[in-house]
Amino acid sequence: MTEDNELVYGGDYNPDQWPRETWDEDIRLMRQAHVNRVTLGVFSWSSLEPREGEYEVEWLDTIMDKLADAGIGVVLATPTASPPPWFSLAHPEALPVRPDGVRLVHGSRDTYNPAAPAYREAAVRITRMLAERYGQHPALRMWHLHNEYGTVSHGPVSDEAFRVWLRARYGTLEALNAAWWTAFWSQGYGAWEEILTPRATQYLPNPAHVLDFKRFSADLLRDCLRDQVEVVRAVTPDVPVTTNFMLPSWHHYDEWDLAAEIDTVSIDHYPAARDVEGEVHAAFGADLARSFNGGRPWTLMEQATSTVYDYAAGRIFAKEPGRLERNTMQYLARGATGSLFFQWRNGRGGAEMFHSPMVPHTGPDSRVFREICDLGATLGRLGELAAPPADGGPVNRNRVAFVWDSTAWWSSETRAMPTDDLSFLDAVRAAHRALWWEGIGCDAVRLGDDLSAYDVVLVPSKLAVSDDEAQALHRFVEQGGTAVVWYFAGSTDELLRVRQGSFSGAFADLLGIRVEELHPLAPGETVTLDDGTTGDCWSQLVQLRGAEALAHVTGGVLDGVPAITRHDVGAGAAYHVGTRLEPGALRRLLADVVARAGVTRDHPAAGDGLEVVRRHAGPGTYLLAVNHDEVPRALTVDGHDLLADRPVAGEVVLAPGAHLVLRETARTPLPARPVDPVQPTP
Ligand code: GAL
């Protein structure tokens, strides 16, 4: 996707929505904005195949040629996220069905059932047509397969496919009945045909049934991706392949599994908040993307230039001036190959007509387009960041990891939990947020991965844990690692069967505790610990079995019960956190844990809103610093300021909102030589 000395810059381009007069203006403006990449055809199925089997490709031929002539590379998409209306009328059985039996039809997007042969065949056909027609085109740089896989469907076609999947997983009905504990509420299955996907039912559904359906649906989406990967790899073995993940709220597939199918990971990422929490969000998405991509540079396939829909609030909100560039620096620091946007020019109509593009409705004479041109010029000065690290290592070298696990996410959604307040995503976000404020970088991992690169592994709220996963964490600690395990983690096996003898039973030996009773807290209820901090959501009756208590509950029925524990195991240590600590307390605990484990920041000044991240690229290292604080912040550096193109050694003061990209010449600070404060982008 990237040349080694060029960051990518551009966005989703939809020329089929515009008259041809606009195309030449588009290309002129793209050159003005330093665009070198566009993503073509993401939702263009009805433009490319207006009637089944009849292709209209002249428009795509023409624009591909024009882009090639302008030196702009193309990320060519398969349009399979949005089958055209003819498809639903010709193949009603291939439409998605909701749990309540309602069959959805075209009129929006993503109306297909990933299990339906007619959909799969149609998707493969149009993929093959694109691969064969454009595989050798000089503009082609990468395949963008589908858009944000995520459709889940019930109904007869899904039932059939679910049964096939279950047979492969369990072999016999006896094994399935045991795994799902179906004797409870008379759910024992006597024939495979009796099994349906978990539809709307009278009362609580069987949680293991629901979890397996989520796993099945995720595998189906992976299979849809595989269908397309197979086609494009056969025709263009040298063109890299991606599919864009929607992070972090869209979780209908397993990112690790999908990442294993493609050459490089890409993500779509939109701010979740107007305040600095939006910056924490940018860092989180970037850390996930890099981790899913094995620590290698990854593609930011979509971000917004300004206005983003906030559907919960019922309005759009605009990014303030300068925020776009700051966020982009955060993504770059954490391994992005550049920045692409949804989208180049926004449509005059359609459901997202007020979502911000690179060229807004108001035209190029606009603050947004000027920022886009400036950002394009800025990225042009940072091309050397694009080189993969010469030593073959990851772009960021973090010593702390947190577990990201789909089963954990899906199990907390099964409605059989002791409290509805158990959210895997929230627990992970809280841990990541605490580290962000502390200035400590981190990666996502699975417990089954090689953990030897890490000093500290965090396990927030991973309910279902297999014996193998538990042993992997045990080995990690024995060999000198530090683990932090949150309440309720490891309370079931991977089939969602409760472990006997102790809650968090998968880790009971490692943690040196026994959790005998669960006392979830009502909304607004808190527990106070004897170190003066508080927690909410959760409390529990814990007995020490070798661990020491670092803090206890005070007051109430759990008065004096350990709330935070530490257990030395082999050469390492395992901590347990028995309540949802308030943010400040969690930050202090994690700061203490990582400090004891010998983990340091990428730069000593990092933290409290000054983000400083070291990116490895080519033979060198680069410090990217962004001041999200409201006051100027200083840091001592030694290197070459790539944006100002001058050497800098000594203390640099970053004004609020300012950033710095530095090619480091040495890691040890030289004698201080004050330089002018760097000002934020206006
Ligand atoms: C993304 C999606 C785009 C567009 C964008 C803005 O998730 O891939 O097609 O919808 O969101 O809402």
Side-chain angles (χ1 to χ4, degrees):
M1 167 88 170
T2 56
E3 282 34 293
D4 274 4
N5 56 1
E6 179 193 52
L7 294 171
V8 295
Y9 193 55
D12 276 33
Y13 181 35
N14 299 298
D16 49 323
Q17 296 174 18
W18 292 91
R20 306 230 165 176
E21 307 83 83
T22 318
W23 297 7
D24 290 329
E25 192 203 7
D26 284 335
I27 289 184
R28 184 177 61 74
L29 293 176
M30 284 177 192
R31 294 178 68 101
Q32 187 181 332
H34 312 277
V35 163
N36 56 18
R37 220 47 112 245
V38 295
T39 312
L40 270 183
V42 180
F43 288 105
S44 298
W45 200 336
S46 69
S47 303
L48 288 167
E49 191 181 0
R51 288 160 299 281
E52 187 155 16
E54 287 179 33
Y55 299 119
E56 281 185 10
V57 287
E58 185 273 332
W59 68 270
L60 188 54
D61 293 351
T62 306
I63 199 70
M64 291 278 289
D65 291 349
K66 279 179 184 285
L67 289 163
D69 290 347
I72 298 171
V74 169
V75 179
L76 190 55
T78 57
T80 50
S82 226
W86 60 253
F87 178 83
S88 8
L89 298 180
H91 306 284
E93 82 295 348
L95 293 171
V97 177
R98 295 195 317 210
D100 62 0
V102 171
R103 186 179 294 272
L104 305 176
V105 288
H106 60 271
S108 179
R109 69 186 213 191
D110 297 280
T111 38
Y112 63 91
N113 179 345
Y119 168 73
R120 300 276 283 272
E121 285 157 21
V124 163
R125 268 199 314 273
I126 193 149
T127 301
R128 180 166 298 118
M129 183 282 283
L130 290 167
E132 287 171 353
R133 189 164 187 96
Y134 301 103
Q136 306 308 320
H137 197 281
L140 181 67
R141 294 286 185 284
M142 185 185 252
W143 290 112
H144 172 321
L145 302 182
H146 201 86
N147 188 73
E148 297 179 349
Y149 277 106
T151 305
V152 172
S153 180
H154 296 259
V157 175
S158 302
D159 290 334
E160 217 20 72
F162 188 37
R163 291 175 201 136
V164 170
W165 186 90
L166 289 169
R167 274 177 190 258
R169 181 171 172 84
Y170 293 107
T172 65
L173 274 179
E174 197 185 4
L176 177 141
N177 280 315
W180 288 7
W181 210 262
T182 54
F184 188 72
W185 287 351
S186 178
Q187 289 172 1
Y189 293 102
W192 293 99
E193 293 65 37
E194 293 169 8
I195 303 175
L196 307 173
T197 63
R199 311 272 179 82
T201 187
Q202 168 65 15
Y203 184 44
L204 297 174
N206 180 319
H209 181 192
V210 172
L211 176 60
D212 269 346
F213 179 65
K214 286 177 186 279
R215 287 174 166 140
F216 153 77
S217 300
D219 283 359
L220 257 185
L221 295 174
R222 182 209 53 210
D223 292 348
C224 290
L225 173 64
R226 263 186 195 163
D227 290 350
Q228 296 194 22
V229 170
E230 203 177 301
V231 172
V232 296
R233 286 227 173 107
V235 183
T236 57
D238 299 327
V239 178
V241 174
T242 193
T243 188
N244 51 342
F245 298 170
M246 178 59 172
L247 290 179
S249 50
W250 193 239
H251 202 70
H252 300 298
Y253 51 82
D254 182 274
E255 292 88 357
W256 302 107
D257 281 355
L258 260 61
E261 303 294 327
I262 53 184
D263 297 306
T264 192
V265 163
S266 59
I267 66 161
D268 301 342
H269 210 236
Y270 294 97
R274 309 181 77 149
D275 60 11
V276 68
E277 180 61 21
E279 277 63 51
V280 180
H281 181 79
F284 182 63
D287 286 338
L288 284 176
R290 183 191 61 254
S291 304
F292 296 144
N293 210 31
R296 294 173 300 144
W298 52 275
T299 304
L300 179 59
M301 190 63 84
E302 295 179 19
Q303 64 164 331
T305 59
S306 178
T307 48
V308 184
Y309 280 96
D310 181 345
Y311 292 104
R315 67 182 67 88
I316 56 174
F317 76 86
K319 289 185 187 173
E320 73 274 17
R323 192 175 193 191
L324 171 59
E325 184 152 326
R326 280 205 305 284
N327 289 161
T328 304
M329 292 301 138
Q330 294 184 270
Y331 293 119
L332 286 180
R334 294 173 154 76
T337 58
S339 177
L340 303 174
F341 295 86
F342 177 79
Q343 56 181 328
W344 165 249
R345 189 189 272 282
N346 52 358
R348 295 187 60 189
E352 292 185 328
M353 57 193 174
F354 297 115
H355 181 99
S356 58
M358 299 170 85
V359 182
H361 289 301
T362 48
D365 181 14
S366 55
R367 192 264 295 177
V368 164
F369 189 68
R370 280 188 287 278
E371 279 197 31
I372 283 296
C373 292
D374 290 347
L375 182 56
T378 297
L379 296 195
R381 291 196 281 275
L382 302 181
E384 60 197 272
L385 289 178
D391 65 1
V395 280
N396 300 138
R397 310 278 158 104
N398 295 318
R399 309 292 303 171
V400 180
F402 61 89
V403 169
W404 179 269
D405 180 272
S406 299
T407 299
W409 179 308
W410 296 327
S411 17
S412 68
E413 285 179 334
T414 59
R415 296 189 61 206
M417 297 298 111
T419 165
D420 288 349
D421 219 3
L422 276 178
S423 153
F424 173 70
L425 179 62
D426 288 354
V428 169
R429 293 297 300 259
H432 184 274
R433 183 180 297 112
L435 292 172
W436 188 88
W437 281 103
E438 200 49 35
I440 300 282
C442 55
D443 297 336
V445 292
R446 286 171 293 189
L447 281 182
D449 292 341
D450 176 6
L451 302 176
S452 59
Y454 299 101
D455 295 312
V456 178
V457 170
L458 310 178
V459 189
S461 288
K462 174 168 160 51
L463 168 62
V465 173
S466 69
D467 291 347
D468 286 350
E469 289 174 315
Q471 283 156 16
L473 193 66
H474 209 111
R475 276 195 305 277
F476 168 74
V477 174
E478 269 175 352
Q479 289 161 10
T482 299
V484 184
V485 177
W486 270 240
Y487 53 87
F488 207 45
S491 289
T492 76
D493 65 15
E494 69 278 19
L495 297 173
L496 222 49
R497 289 179 305 200
V498 181
R499 288 180 177 274
Q500 303 295 285
S502 171
F503 294 102
S504 290
F507 301 123
D509 283 349
L510 174 67
L511 298 171
I513 57 170
R514 176 171 183 250
V515 184
E516 190 187 328
E517 279 178 27
L518 308 180
H519 292 249
L521 301 172
E525 200 183 348
T526 56
V527 283
T528 302
L529 310 190
D530 55 7
D531 60 5
T533 61
T534 60
D536 67 356
C537 176
W538 195 265
S539 62
Q540 55 189 14
L541 178 59
V542 174
Q543 292 141 12
L544 300 178
R545 293 279 198 272
E548 59 169 316
L550 303 180
H552 303 83
V553 174
T554 58
V557 289
L558 296 176
D559 187 40
V561 167
I564 303 175
T565 61
R566 178 192 152 105
H567 188 214
D568 292 328
V569 176
Y575 292 76
H576 182 60
V577 189
T579 184
R580 187 165 70 188
L581 288 174
E582 56 178 294
L586 179 62
R587 179 176 164 185
R588 280 192 296 282
L589 174 70
L590 296 185
D592 184 54
V593 167
V594 300
R596 280 166 184 259
V599 175
T600 53
R601 300 171 172 85
D602 277 355
H603 189 285
D608 290 316
L610 176 64
E611 192 167 346
V612 192
V613 176
R614 177 169 290 114
R615 176 172 177 158
H616 293 246
T621 60
Y622 297 79
L623 269 192
L624 285 87
V626 188
N627 183 9
H628 305 290
D629 203 350
E630 287 165 6
V631 296
R633 297 285 298 271
L635 69 161
T636 302
V637 297
D638 174 21
H640 192 87
D641 178 339
L642 295 188
L643 296 175
D645 193 17
R646 62 176 180 187
V648 197
E651 189 180 87
V652 176
V653 178
L654 291 183
H659 56 265
L660 173 76
V661 183
L662 189 91
R663 185 199 306 124
E664 295 183 289
T665 48
R667 297 277 181 81
T668 39
L670 294 177
R673 179 171 68 80
V675 295
D676 299 337
V678 179
Q679 295 302 322
T681 315

Short mmCIF file of all heavy atoms in Angstrom, two decimals, residues 13 33 82 123 126 149 193 217 254 264 396 406 430 432 460 473 497 501 540 565 624 629 649 666:
data_model
loop_
_atom_site.label_atom_id
_atom_site.label_comp_id
_atom_site.label_asym_id
_atom_site.label_seq_id
_atom_site.Cartn_x
_atom_site.Cartn_y
_atom_site.Cartn_z
N TYR A 13 -13.69 7.57 -2.72
CA TYR A 13 -14.05 8.44 -3.85
C TYR A 13 -15.18 7.77 -4.60
O TYR A 13 -15.08 6.60 -4.97
CB TYR A 13 -12.81 8.63 -4.74
CG TYR A 13 -13.04 9.52 -5.93
CD1 TYR A 13 -13.88 10.62 -5.85
CD2 TYR A 13 -12.38 9.26 -7.13
CE1 TYR A 13 -14.08 11.45 -6.96
CE2 TYR A 13 -12.56 10.08 -8.23
CZ TYR A 13 -13.42 11.18 -8.14
OH TYR A 13 -13.61 11.98 -9.23
N ALA A 33 -4.49 19.06 -2.86
CA ALA A 33 -4.49 18.60 -1.46
C ALA A 33 -3.42 17.54 -1.19
O ALA A 33 -3.36 17.00 -0.10
CB ALA A 33 -5.87 18.06 -1.10
N SER A 82 -23.19 -3.90 -0.14
CA SER A 82 -24.52 -3.37 -0.45
C SER A 82 -25.08 -3.91 -1.76
O SER A 82 -24.97 -3.27 -2.81
CB SER A 82 -24.45 -1.85 -0.49
OG SER A 82 -25.51 -1.31 0.23
N ALA A 123 -21.35 -12.23 -4.81
CA ALA A 123 -20.19 -11.47 -4.32
C ALA A 123 -18.91 -11.96 -5.00
O ALA A 123 -18.06 -11.16 -5.40
CB ALA A 123 -20.09 -11.63 -2.80
N ILE A 126 -18.79 -10.68 -8.79
CA ILE A 126 -18.38 -9.28 -9.05
C ILE A 126 -16.93 -9.06 -8.61
O ILE A 126 -16.20 -8.28 -9.23
CB ILE A 126 -19.36 -8.26 -8.42
CG1 ILE A 126 -19.07 -6.88 -8.99
CG2 ILE A 126 -19.31 -8.24 -6.90
CD1 ILE A 126 -20.24 -5.98 -9.10
N TYR A 149 -17.36 -5.76 7.43
CA TYR A 149 -18.17 -6.97 7.62
C TYR A 149 -18.93 -6.86 8.92
O TYR A 149 -18.40 -6.37 9.92
CB TYR A 149 -17.25 -8.20 7.67
CG TYR A 149 -16.89 -8.72 6.29
CD1 TYR A 149 -15.62 -8.51 5.76
CD2 TYR A 149 -17.83 -9.39 5.52
CE1 TYR A 149 -15.29 -8.98 4.50
CE2 TYR A 149 -17.51 -9.87 4.26
CZ TYR A 149 -16.24 -9.66 3.75
OH TYR A 149 -15.94 -10.12 2.50
N GLU A 193 -32.14 -31.11 13.28
CA GLU A 193 -33.13 -30.23 12.65
C GLU A 193 -33.91 -29.41 13.68
O GLU A 193 -34.56 -28.42 13.35
CB GLU A 193 -34.13 -31.04 11.80
CG GLU A 193 -33.54 -31.70 10.58
CD GLU A 193 -32.50 -32.77 10.91
OE1 GLU A 193 -32.69 -33.51 11.92
OE2 GLU A 193 -31.48 -32.86 10.20
N SER A 217 -21.61 -16.83 13.48
CA SER A 217 -21.80 -15.68 12.59
C SER A 217 -20.45 -15.06 12.24
O SER A 217 -20.23 -14.62 11.10
CB SER A 217 -22.69 -14.63 13.27
OG SER A 217 -23.95 -15.18 13.56
N ASP A 254 -14.35 -11.84 14.59
CA ASP A 254 -13.15 -11.82 15.42
C ASP A 254 -12.02 -11.17 14.62
O ASP A 254 -11.61 -11.69 13.57
CB ASP A 254 -12.78 -13.26 15.81
CG ASP A 254 -11.56 -13.26 16.70
OD1 ASP A 254 -10.43 -13.25 16.17
OD2 ASP A 254 -11.74 -13.24 17.91
N THR A 264 -2.89 -6.89 5.19
CA THR A 264 -2.71 -5.78 6.12
C THR A 264 -4.06 -5.34 6.68
O THR A 264 -5.08 -5.41 5.98
CB THR A 264 -1.97 -4.61 5.43
OG1 THR A 264 -1.57 -3.68 6.42
CG2 THR A 264 -2.82 -3.92 4.39
N ASN A 396 5.89 0.12 17.30
CA ASN A 396 5.99 0.61 18.68
C ASN A 396 6.50 -0.55 19.52
O ASN A 396 6.16 -1.70 19.26
CB ASN A 396 4.63 1.07 19.23
CG ASN A 396 3.99 2.19 18.44
OD1 ASN A 396 2.80 2.17 18.20
ND2 ASN A 396 4.77 3.18 18.02
N SER A 406 -12.72 -11.88 21.60
CA SER A 406 -14.11 -11.82 21.14
C SER A 406 -15.04 -12.61 22.03
O SER A 406 -16.16 -12.18 22.31
CB SER A 406 -14.21 -12.38 19.72
OG SER A 406 -13.42 -11.60 18.87
N ALA A 430 -11.25 1.16 30.10
CA ALA A 430 -10.81 1.78 31.35
C ALA A 430 -9.32 1.53 31.59
O ALA A 430 -8.59 2.43 32.00
CB ALA A 430 -11.65 1.24 32.52
N HIS A 432 -7.03 0.81 29.26
CA HIS A 432 -6.26 1.53 28.24
C HIS A 432 -6.21 3.03 28.57
O HIS A 432 -5.16 3.68 28.46
CB HIS A 432 -6.88 1.30 26.86
CG HIS A 432 -6.10 1.92 25.75
ND1 HIS A 432 -6.26 3.23 25.36
CD2 HIS A 432 -5.12 1.42 24.97
CE1 HIS A 432 -5.42 3.50 24.38
NE2 HIS A 432 -4.72 2.42 24.11
N PRO A 460 -8.67 -7.72 31.65
CA PRO A 460 -9.89 -7.10 32.16
C PRO A 460 -11.12 -7.90 31.73
O PRO A 460 -11.33 -8.11 30.54
CB PRO A 460 -9.91 -5.72 31.50
CG PRO A 460 -8.67 -5.62 30.67
CD PRO A 460 -8.17 -7.02 30.46
N LEU A 473 -1.19 -17.98 30.91
CA LEU A 473 -0.95 -16.83 31.79
C LEU A 473 -0.10 -17.25 32.99
O LEU A 473 0.78 -16.51 33.43
CB LEU A 473 -2.29 -16.22 32.25
CG LEU A 473 -2.15 -14.85 32.90
CD1 LEU A 473 -1.67 -13.80 31.90
CD2 LEU A 473 -3.46 -14.39 33.54
N ARG A 497 -19.42 -22.69 30.79
CA ARG A 497 -19.85 -23.49 31.94
C ARG A 497 -19.08 -22.99 33.16
O ARG A 497 -17.85 -22.86 33.09
CB ARG A 497 -19.59 -24.97 31.71
CG ARG A 497 -20.54 -25.54 30.65
CD ARG A 497 -20.28 -26.98 30.41
NE ARG A 497 -18.88 -27.22 30.06
CZ ARG A 497 -18.44 -28.30 29.42
NH1 ARG A 497 -19.29 -29.23 29.06
NH2 ARG A 497 -17.17 -28.45 29.16
N GLY A 501 -15.87 -24.42 42.50
CA GLY A 501 -14.92 -24.24 43.62
C GLY A 501 -14.59 -22.79 43.92
O GLY A 501 -14.39 -22.43 45.08
N GLN A 540 -17.11 -8.66 45.95
CA GLN A 540 -17.14 -10.11 46.05
C GLN A 540 -16.48 -10.55 47.36
O GLN A 540 -15.68 -9.83 47.94
CB GLN A 540 -16.40 -10.72 44.86
CG GLN A 540 -14.98 -10.20 44.71
CD GLN A 540 -14.30 -10.62 43.41
OE1 GLN A 540 -14.92 -11.10 42.48
NE2 GLN A 540 -12.98 -10.46 43.37
N THR A 565 -5.46 -7.77 45.48
CA THR A 565 -4.50 -8.73 46.03
C THR A 565 -3.31 -8.86 45.10
O THR A 565 -3.38 -8.53 43.90
CB THR A 565 -5.14 -10.12 46.22
OG1 THR A 565 -5.57 -10.60 44.93
CG2 THR A 565 -6.32 -10.08 47.17
N LEU A 624 6.90 11.12 18.31
CA LEU A 624 5.76 11.97 17.94
C LEU A 624 5.13 12.44 19.24
O LEU A 624 4.73 11.62 20.08
CB LEU A 624 4.76 11.22 17.08
CG LEU A 624 5.23 11.01 15.62
CD1 LEU A 624 6.05 9.75 15.50
CD2 LEU A 624 4.06 10.99 14.65
N ASP A 629 -2.98 18.85 26.41
CA ASP A 629 -3.23 19.57 27.66
C ASP A 629 -3.66 21.02 27.36
O ASP A 629 -3.50 21.50 26.24
CB ASP A 629 -1.93 19.57 28.48
CG ASP A 629 -2.19 19.76 29.96
OD1 ASP A 629 -3.33 20.09 30.34
OD2 ASP A 629 -1.23 19.59 30.75
N ALA A 649 17.76 20.31 19.89
CA ALA A 649 18.37 19.60 21.01
C ALA A 649 18.09 20.40 22.26
O ALA A 649 18.31 21.61 22.30
CB ALA A 649 19.88 19.47 20.80
N ALA A 666 19.76 10.55 19.14
CA ALA A 666 20.30 9.83 20.28
C ALA A 666 19.21 9.74 21.32
O ALA A 666 18.31 10.56 21.35
CB ALA A 666 21.51 10.56 20.85
#
